[in-house]
Amino acid sequence: MIVEFVIQQPTLLDALRSVPSMRVEWEQTDTTANREVLQVFWAIGDDFEAFETALHGDPTVTAPRCLTEFSDRRLYQVEQVGEGRAQSIYPAIVEVGGVIQRCTATSEGWELQVRFPDNDALSHVHDICARHDLDFRLRRKYEEASDTTRSDTFGLTEKQHQMLTQAVEQGYYEVPRKIGLDQLGSELGISHQAASERLRRAVTILTENALSLERDDRPDEGVDTQAAE
């Protein structure tokens, strides 16, 4: 299960809000033998001098060090301290078997894409965010198709494939239509709204994978937070 969400975890947010043209891409987090929590990240933007000054004033990190430098990005290492360390959800994600696939930050907050083993794991991380009073906004939640499924069905889940197949076979896309969403949903045991959402997602995923398009980070309007489809 893949989950995309935004949280207001405080690490580096002061620095990013001081220089909003910069953004951060998380690389890794490690704990040393002295129990220091070291975070490595890429900073991307056009004002590294101001960003480095802001790093030294950010209360969530200390000892910033530039490891690698390119024209448009630099690799930094910092130690997480204070609220940055106390409110980090990284340990909770690791504890439940989550795998971070993407983690970026801007002045608006941290955006994560995480593979969770199940809904209980997601619920645990959500509870940790609530305990730390961290705003959690779900963007998307969906099942990850296997390599076999992806090659055969262009990345559609079984439910999405079934929905789209029935819609085509029963004349939903014909002019005039031979079947409506109410009847399609009824045959699958779901509501009109759920049928509309599932069909919309199926068409979007099919198109993106068939045309090899990159998915953007737009929110998935109307995502059912109770069941990934």
Side-chain angles (χ1 to χ4, degrees), residues 16-33:
L16 287 166
R17 286 166 180 164
S18 295
V19 193
S21 63
M22 301 293 292
R23 65 184 175 91
V24 159
E25 292 182 359
W26 173 84
E27 189 71 22
Q28 66 184 59
T29 297
D30 299 297
T31 302
T32 70

Side-chain angles (χ1 to χ4, degrees), residues 91-155:
I93 292 174
V94 173
E95 179 185 351
V96 299
V99 177
I100 296 176
Q101 297 182 323
R102 186 179 70 248
C103 181
T104 63
T106 67
S107 58
E108 300 298 318
W110 284 89
E111 302 180 17
L112 289 87
Q113 177 178 292
V114 181
R115 180 192 293 120
F116 286 104
D118 49 43
N119 268 306
D120 288 342
L122 172 60
S123 295
H124 176 74
V125 171
H126 184 271
D127 290 345
I128 294 296
C129 290
R131 192 179 307 163
H132 291 309
D133 198 26
L134 299 176
D135 180 49
F136 179 103
R137 287 190 291 117
L138 179 69
R139 282 196 162 176
R140 301 181 68 189
K141 182 173 113 174
Y142 52 93
E143 295 291 345
E144 183 178 40
S146 67
D147 290 340
T148 300
T149 302
R150 189 178 305 278
S151 62
D152 293 341
T153 65
F154 293 94

Side-chain angles (χ1 to χ4, degrees), residues 53-101:
T53 299
L55 277 181
H56 286 281
D58 192 312
T60 64
V61 297
T62 190
R65 185 160 64 102
C66 182
L67 304 178
T68 304
E69 182 176 335
F70 295 99
S71 60
D72 64 338
R73 61 175 56 206
R74 293 182 186 181
L75 186 66
Y76 291 94
Q77 180 190 74
V78 295
E79 180 185 352
Q80 276 189 300
V81 296
E83 291 300 301
R85 176 169 177 172
Q87 297 190 32
S88 173
I89 67 165
Y90 179 74
I93 292 174
V94 173
E95 179 185 351
V96 299
V99 177
I100 296 176
Q101 297 182 323

Side-chain angles (χ1 to χ4, degrees), residues 163 181 185 188-201 222 224 229:
M163 180 78 207
L181 283 173
L188 295 172
I190 59 178
S191 68
H192 176 283
Q193 181 179 353
S196 176
E197 279 298 311
R198 187 177 297 179
L199 187 59
R200 181 182 65 82
R201 292 183 215 170
D224 179 0
E229 296 179 343

